[in-house]
Structure formats: C-alpha cells, structure tokens
Amino acid sequence: MEEKVLEILEEYCEEAISYTGDNMMEEGVIDSFTVINVVSELEDVFDIEIDAKYVVAENFRNKEAIIELVRQLTEE
Amino acid sequence: MQFLSAAFIILWVISFALYYLAPKTRQWMILAVASGLFYVAGTGGIPIGILLTGAGAYACGLYLKRSLAAQKHALSDLADKEEKKAVKLGFERRRRRVQILYFVYSLGILLCTKYMVVILPFLRQMGMTTSRSDAFFERVVMPLGISFYTLTAIGYVVDVGREQCGAQENPVKLFLFLAYFPAITQGPFNRFAKLQGEFEREHVFDYERMLFGVQRFVWGAFKKLVIADRINLFVGNVFGSAQEGIPGSIYAAAVVLYMLQLYADFSGYMDMALGISETFDIALPENFKRPYFSKSVAEFWRRWHITLGTWFKDYVMFSFVMSGTGRKIGKAAKKRWPGFGKHVTGVIGTMLVWLLTGMWHGRTASYILWGVYYGIIMCVSLVLERQYGIWREKLHIKGGKCYSLFAVVRTCAIVFVADVLIRAESLSQAGEIYRAFFMDFRLKEGILGVTDWGLSRYGFLLLAAACLLWLAVSIWEERGKDVRRTLAACPMAVRWCCYYGVALVLLITGIYGGSYDTAAFLYQSF
C-alpha cells in the first residue's frame, strides 16, 4: 500500500517525496489542485471515498500522513 | 471604534489590566465584555446582525453535536455493515440539511446587508422608505465586520459537522469567538478549535510578551500612518481626478503606489490586531507573509490574506470537489477527456472560489471581473504547471537569482493589472487607464508632474525612506529572523533609541486629521 501511495505522489508531486517537513500544504509543496488530483487517484486505486473532512493540512502535512490517512480509510 | 483612537487605547489598557488581575478561569469573560463594548461602540447601534448569526450558529452547533452523539449510539447497537451504512447516511443527510439551512440563513443576512446599500437608494426613489426606516437600517442593518463573522460562523458550523471541533455550549463563549475584538473588523479568520483553546488556557502576565505586542502594534501604526495614508494623498487625487488626459505614467505610478498602500494598510491593521492579541497572550494566525516576494500568483495568494484563502479552499473548493456533484463531474470528465479530464473539478472549484472571492470583496462588476481574472490565471498556471517545467528545462532555465527576480516582477505585474480594476472609480476609468498605459504613457511629463498630485518632493522622499525601512525588515523576516528578538538582544541604549525614533517618526511624519479619515482601513469596506 505504501509503495502505491508513493507512486501516486511521485506522479503528481515529486517534491512531496523528498519533503521532510510537516506542513506541506501551507508551505506550498503541494497545492490544492494537486491535492485534488492525488485524492481522486487514491480513491480510484484503493476504492475508498475521501470525504472533504479528511482533506485538511494535518492529513497532508507530509507523505507519512497521507499513507496513514489511506491506511485508516482502507481499514474502515 | 478604531484601533487608532483614544477610546480604543483606553479600552485596551483597562481590559489588559483587568485581564491579568482576574481569576485565571475567568479571563475570557474580560475579553467577552471588551469585545461587546468594542462591537457596540463600533456599530453605534443594536448589534442585531451578529446576534442573529451567532444564535443560529449556536443552535446549529448544538443540533449537530446531538445528532453525532445519537448516530454513535445508534451505530453501536448495530452489527450488520450495510445497515450501519444506511443509518449513518440517514444521520448525515439530516445534518447536511440543517447545515444548508444555516448557510442560507446566515448568507441571506450577509447579502441583504451588503446589498442594502444598492437596494436602499432604489427604495428611496420609489418612496418606499421613511426617515425612521432609514435610521433603522443605518443603525441596525449595517453591522461591523459582518463579512468576517459570517464566514467565521459558517466555518464553525462546518467544523462541528466534520467533528473537527466540539460544539460550544456556552453562548457567550461562542459570541467571544465570533466577535473577538482584535479580529472582528478585518480578520484574520479564526478556526474555532484553535481560538477556543487559546481562550481556555490560563494566561500569566509576561513583560516581554507585552512589549512585543506593543511593538507590533506600533509597527502596524507606522505602516498605516506613515506609508499607507501618505500614499493615499497621491493615489486618491489621481483616481479621484475629473481631469482628462492624465498621462499613463502618472496612472502607472498611482497603481504601483496603490499596491503598496493596500499592503501597508491591510498588513498594518493585521500587525495591530496580532499585537493587541499578543498582549493578551492569545495567538492569532498570521495573515501575510511578504506577498510581493512571491514568484507566482499561486504563491502570492498563499502569502496574502492567508486565512481568507484557506477558508475558501477548505470550505468551498474541497467541499465542492468532494461532494456528490463534484465527484460525478470529475468521473464524467475523466471518461470524456482522459488527459485533461482530471483537472476539470479543480478548474471549476478554482473558478468558483475566485468568483466568490471577488463578490466577497465588493459589490460592483469590477470585483467580479477581478475574481474571474485571477481564477483564469490560477487555472492556466496550475493546469500547465508541468508543461512550464518542461519548457524551463528546454530553455535551460535553472531558477537562479535572475530568474527568481524575473518571476517576482512577473507576479507583481499580474497583480498590477488586477489592482487597476479594484482601485479605479469605475470600469470605464479602468479602461481609460489601460488605454493610457499603451497609447498615452508620456514618461517625461509624468516625471516632471509627479509632485502635482498631492505629494510633494519631501513627501516622496519620506515615503521612499519609510519603504526602504519596511523592505529591510521584510528581507530580515524573509530570512527567517525575528526583528523584535534581534532588537531585544541589543544594548538598552540602542533599544530605547529605536523606540523613541519610531515614536518620533510616527508623531512627526504620520498623516493625521484634515479631511482624510486616518482611522479608516481600506479592507474595512470589503
């Protein structure tokens, strides 16, 4: 699962892979447009529905947080 | 009541003293009373607007809280997955209906109030108003900070529904969140979970924090009185002039100065608001991060009025894209156009956000055009972002200092074009200004006549000196350094020289009184 998430991130936002901070959205590493594309791709690949309430800076602060979000939603 | 008034300073000093004398668990009450006084004094009448919006948010929050608790209880009794899903969906639908009802209610109040200025003269012409009804509308229907507290209240209702914060059971505490006096006039927009935590914390007096707060307030006043209000002497005369055939070069100078004025005015207000709040040990979110250093328009809007941008992104853009309608459009577009299709919901969401941002800022067609202009630029730059990267690679542009400077100038040029729209008195004047840029620039005439528009040679020199100081501070901050901490580390003599220096500059060179209302902030009219 982790690998797939990283693949998607690499496709849409290479910078997110090398980013080591914890505020990717506010620092402009990943913009809202890319977030939408990443969310849409994650939904298709993992057959999950990511509600707007999960699309917050906290869940997109770095790649680990995104992996954690996907893990949580796939387990639900 | 304005920040730069004796009445406000008295209110600030008294509430500050009482705040630290009060029992730690009751400090929020002092802020609530101060906010109430500030609000009533600012409105000059009955604050019915905020009470109606606040009461609605309060009731809606409680309903959502109870519905979420009932949902949890109902789900705990069920074992079947499908049945659980159906029950959850039923609760969600009911909550969404209540939320939509609240949005219609609060936005209805906002729109009626905002467009009353347009409607009222029409009603007057038709003879449908009386002097008593006019007085009523002036006192009651024009509440202070309505655009700010309405969006803040909507954010609260959405956050409670999304379980990102709990519902507030104390109506006075909710009122304090909506009407917290440093932020009520122009923001920043606050999130309930964050600000509520600040109000409920115990606050102990700290001399350094108080000093930092006052310093930030004075720095804000410097930007407002020495820079923004001085620029207004020139800009107001150029745009307000009935004279025909003004050279394009004078218009260009006026627009560049207006860009600085708007930034100095609004960020000056934010410095004052954050400084006041800092003295109470309440942290408010930053609203500006040196936007004119941005290398793209998207970056500019991540640095300018940050909390408004985040509000629209979180509550409009993502809500739309992740909604049933947004998903349907997205899926259909991906099928229809395999390459571009994935961008369609993002493009619609971005255009929607910018259209609403334009409408939020003003009532005229110029603001709608301004929003559409930014929407198109954002969409094009985001969709073609990857393409730009390929072009840059092909052209061997590696992003060195020269390219960065070019990117900053390009961003400023895009903002320059947009600011003509919102500063011109009308769309026809904006058209005349654009025409003058290209057909009637007359640079020499502009240079020779630049001091004929309300700002003398001395005024320009003073403005340049103040802007240089501002630039130096901005560069220092851009490098991640804190000016106040740097100053605090200096010897006492240097520190006090700086304090007296800034105070003297403010007193001697600030623009006070006269026919120009120094206390009015530009963003207050949005």
Side-chain angles (χ1 to χ4, degrees), chain B residues 347-505:
Chain B
V347 167
I348 298 173
T350 305
M351 288 308 294
L352 183 68
V353 162
W354 280 99
L355 202 60
L356 291 173
T357 307
M359 287 168 73
W360 184 85
H361 276 85
R363 288 176 282 259
T364 59
S366 304
Y367 283 95
I368 309 267
L369 260 179
W370 176 86
V372 171
Y373 168 82
Y374 272 122
I376 291 172
I377 286 179
M378 296 289 260
C379 288
V380 169
S381 62
L382 291 167
V383 170
L384 296 181
E385 200 181 4
R386 196 168 283 192
Q387 198 59 40
Y388 288 152
I390 296 168
W391 289 340
R392 272 200 298 270
E393 220 165 88
K394 277 187 181 168
L395 293 169
H396 305 291
I397 297 170
K398 285 179 183 161
K401 276 187 181 169
C402 279
Y403 180 75
S404 297
L405 186 66
F406 161 74
V408 169
V409 173
R410 181 188 58 192
T411 306
C412 290
I414 292 170
V415 177
F416 174 93
V417 173
D419 280 3
V420 172
L421 282 173
I422 56 166
R423 184 56 186 89
E425 304 285 324
S426 61
L427 265 181
S428 62
Q429 192 191 29
E432 164 59 23
I433 293 169
Y434 291 132
R435 192 199 64 79
F437 287 157
F438 294 103
M439 318 282 285
D440 195 16
F441 198 71
R442 286 183 278 153
L443 181 63
K444 194 177 170 190
E445 206 176 311
I447 293 171
L448 293 173
V450 77
T451 49
D452 299 340
W453 296 91
L455 205 54
S456 64
R457 182 184 289 251
Y458 162 76
F460 271 109
L461 281 173
L462 209 69
L463 182 62
C467 285
L468 277 176
L469 175 66
W470 186 21
L471 179 67
V473 169
S474 300
I475 291 172
W476 193 250
E477 286 173 341
E478 189 69 8
R479 288 177 181 169
K481 307 221 168 92
D482 186 333
V483 178
R484 294 178 297 176
R485 293 208 178 277
T486 311
L487 190 63
C490 292
M492 198 197 230
V494 177
R495 279 201 321 265
W496 282 97
C497 277
C498 287
Y499 298 157
Y500 279 120
V502 172
L504 270 175
V505 168

Side-chain angles (χ1 to χ4, degrees), chain B residues 286-342:
Chain B
E286 290 291 341
N287 219 18
F288 286 94
K289 279 184 186 161
R290 301 160 294 283
Y292 289 125
F293 289 161
S294 305
K295 296 186 190 78
S296 69
V297 180
E299 188 187 350
F300 177 83
W301 284 102
R302 275 198 305 273
R303 288 166 171 251
W304 179 287
H305 209 344
I306 299 164
T307 55
L308 177 71
T310 314
W311 193 97
F312 273 113
K313 190 177 70 191
D314 288 355
Y315 299 123
V316 178
M317 183 140 173
F318 291 150
S319 293
F320 163 74
V321 174
M322 313 303 166
S323 69
T325 316
R327 281 177 205 280
K328 269 184 207 161
I329 294 173
K331 275 184 187 156
K334 269 188 193 173
K335 241 185 196 174
R336 181 84 176 76
W337 304 287
F340 171 74
K342 63 183 177 189

Side-chain angles (χ1 to χ4, degrees), chain B residues 227-249:
Chain B
I227 300 176
D229 288 358
R230 173 157 283 102
I231 292 175
N232 191 61
L233 299 173
F234 181 84
V235 171
N237 277 332
V238 173
F239 285 97
S241 169
Q243 188 184 317
E244 278 182 19
I246 297 174
S249 49

Side-chain angles (χ1 to χ4, degrees), chain B residues 53-66 98 156 168 174:
Chain B
T53 305
Y58 177 71
C60 197
L62 288 186
Y63 169 80
L64 294 172
K65 183 185 174 180
R66 276 170 205 160
V98 172
Y156 162 74
Q168 178 54 267
L174 187 63

Side-chain angles (χ1 to χ4, degrees), chain B residues 104-117 119 146 150 359 363:
Chain B
V104 172
Y105 164 79
S106 55
L107 288 173
I109 298 174
L110 172 68
L111 289 177
C112 282
T113 313
K114 214 161 181 174
Y115 288 88
M116 191 51 77
V117 184
I119 299 164
I146 184 164
T150 303
M359 287 168 73
R363 288 176 282 259

